[in-house]
Amino acid sequence: MFFIIGGALYAASVRIFTAPNQIAPGGVTGLSTVINYLIGVPIGTLSFLLNIPIFVWAVIALGFKTVAKTIAATFLMSAAIDLFSLLVPGTFSPYMGNPLLAAICGGLLEGAGLSMVFLRGGTTGGSDMVARLLGARVPHISMGKLIFAVDCVVILISAFVYRSLESALYAGITIFISSRVIDAILYGTDAGTGKFILIISEKNEEIARDILGNIERGVTRLQAKGGYSGRNGEVLLCAVRRYEVARVKEIIHAHDPAAFVIVGEAGEIRGEGFRRINAAAKGRKKKSTRAKR
């Protein structure tokens, strides 16, 4: 249901706002929008076809189980885009007014649609999957930078095809707004919030390795002793974004279906990968400490 709702919102973004105004906001869908402008192939169909080589690469590198949700989400979104084109002429008219408003509204709907997919542990292929696969080969470059690089290439292509620098600038606005909406829905208005997960399992080594490698989140090993058994062991502690909880659960279940897992609300998380520690606040704290002394 989340994938269907997300696909409908994403399709509305493409069919009503971005494509009619020659805005190609990155990723495979953006590239499909440009090719559609040139030769008229349906955007949704083309988007799915362009994703097939990426899926093959991902299945070889990551395994079918990891990629299955992405394939399902991409298929639903691609189908929704083409089905929406049948409704647009009769029910919804493409917005052909102010391109800035089109970029803003397109970004809002795109962000909302993608969030629905991310909330259920899926992705939409395209630039996210390419960035993830490239990240394994160039681990010194962050995922965010890789996704940004892929999207920039598509935006530059769209500027050349549409022969309009403004088109590329509007695409940048759409991407920015979409990313902000995704952050607001997935993480809340405070980017420093998230979840913490405690894991007790006989397969801690494998679980920790998968979380570090596939989700790129740190894992802390806490020494523990069973109150009933009296045995020494360890508990894994991991802080994640809200949308990453489903992926961590999948990893745990794949290695140890009998694992004991506690998921808690983290009201505030500061540090690498989350909200940065405010240097000004640190300075005030130091001054306050010196004053007390």
Side-chain angles (χ1 to χ4, degrees):
M1 183 59 69
F2 270 65
F3 285 1
I4 292 171
I5 294 171
L9 292 172
Y10 192 82
S13 167
V14 174
R15 283 299 183 183
I16 297 178
F17 295 107
T18 58
N21 290 279
Q22 297 184 357
I23 298 173
V28 169
T29 304
L31 185 60
S32 301
T33 302
V34 173
I35 297 174
N36 168 263
Y37 172 79
L38 292 172
I39 60 176
V41 178
I43 295 174
T45 301
L46 189 57
S47 177
F48 189 77
L49 291 175
L50 290 175
N51 266 300
I52 289 176
I54 300 174
F55 293 151
V56 174
W57 182 14
V59 169
I60 294 171
L62 305 174
F64 180 77
K65 213 172 190 181
T66 307
V67 187
K69 281 188 177 181
T70 295
I71 295 174
T74 305
F75 174 77
L76 286 171
M77 282 196 164
S78 299
I81 291 171
D82 285 349
L83 289 173
F84 208 88
S85 65
L86 302 176
L87 299 175
V88 167
T91 310
F92 303 99
S93 299
Y95 177 76
M96 302 293 291
N98 189 325
L100 179 60
L101 291 177
I104 293 172
C105 293
L108 289 171
L109 286 175
E110 179 182 315
L114 291 175
S115 297
M116 295 297 101
V117 175
F118 296 158
L119 279 170
R120 284 298 174 264
T123 66
T124 55
S127 53
D128 338 6
M129 187 60 74
V130 169
R132 183 176 176 185
L133 294 168
L134 288 176
R137 297 176 179 269
V138 283
H140 56 284
I141 302 177
S142 70
M143 285 285 290
K145 288 179 181 176
L146 288 170
I147 292 173
F148 180 72
V150 174
D151 286 342
C152 279
V153 170
V154 174
I155 289 174
L156 289 174
I157 292 172
S158 72
F160 176 77
V161 171
Y162 293 138
R163 300 183 183 277
S164 170
L165 178 60
E166 283 190 355
S167 175
L169 295 175
Y170 289 135
I173 292 172
T174 300
I175 290 174
F176 175 78
I177 292 174
S178 173
S179 66
R180 299 302 295 176
V181 171
I182 290 170
D183 284 349
I185 293 176
L186 297 184
Y187 315 144
T189 52
D190 185 349
T193 64
K195 299 277 189 179
F196 71 86
I197 303 176
L198 297 173
I199 307 161
I200 303 172
S201 168
E202 298 294 328
K203 303 284 187 179
N204 279 351
E205 188 69 37
E206 294 88 342
I207 292 170
R209 185 171 59 248
D210 260 11
I211 292 174
L212 288 165
N214 294 327
I215 304 181
E216 298 183 347
R217 286 295 178 195
V219 179
T220 302
R221 298 170 182 268
L222 306 175
Q223 295 303 311
K225 185 174 183 178
Y228 176 76
S229 66
R231 291 186 299 174
N232 291 322
E234 65 178 16
V235 177
L236 299 181
L237 169 64
C238 182
V240 296
R241 301 290 192 189
R242 296 177 190 279
Y243 76 97
E244 292 170 326
V245 172
R247 293 174 61 193
V248 173
K249 287 180 179 177
E250 287 176 359
I251 288 173
I252 296 169
H253 187 268
H255 290 290
D256 184 5
F260 190 78
V261 182
I262 301 172
V263 180
E265 191 76 28
E268 182 175 12
I269 306 175
R270 290 184 181 270
E272 186 177 351
F274 295 92
R275 169 175 286 186
R276 293 184 179 180
I277 297 173
N278 191 312
K282 286 172 67 180
R284 287 195 298 271
K285 186 175 180 181
K286 287 178 180 178
K287 287 180 183 178
S288 174
T289 304
R290 284 198 295 270
K292 287 179 181 178
R293 288 177 182 172

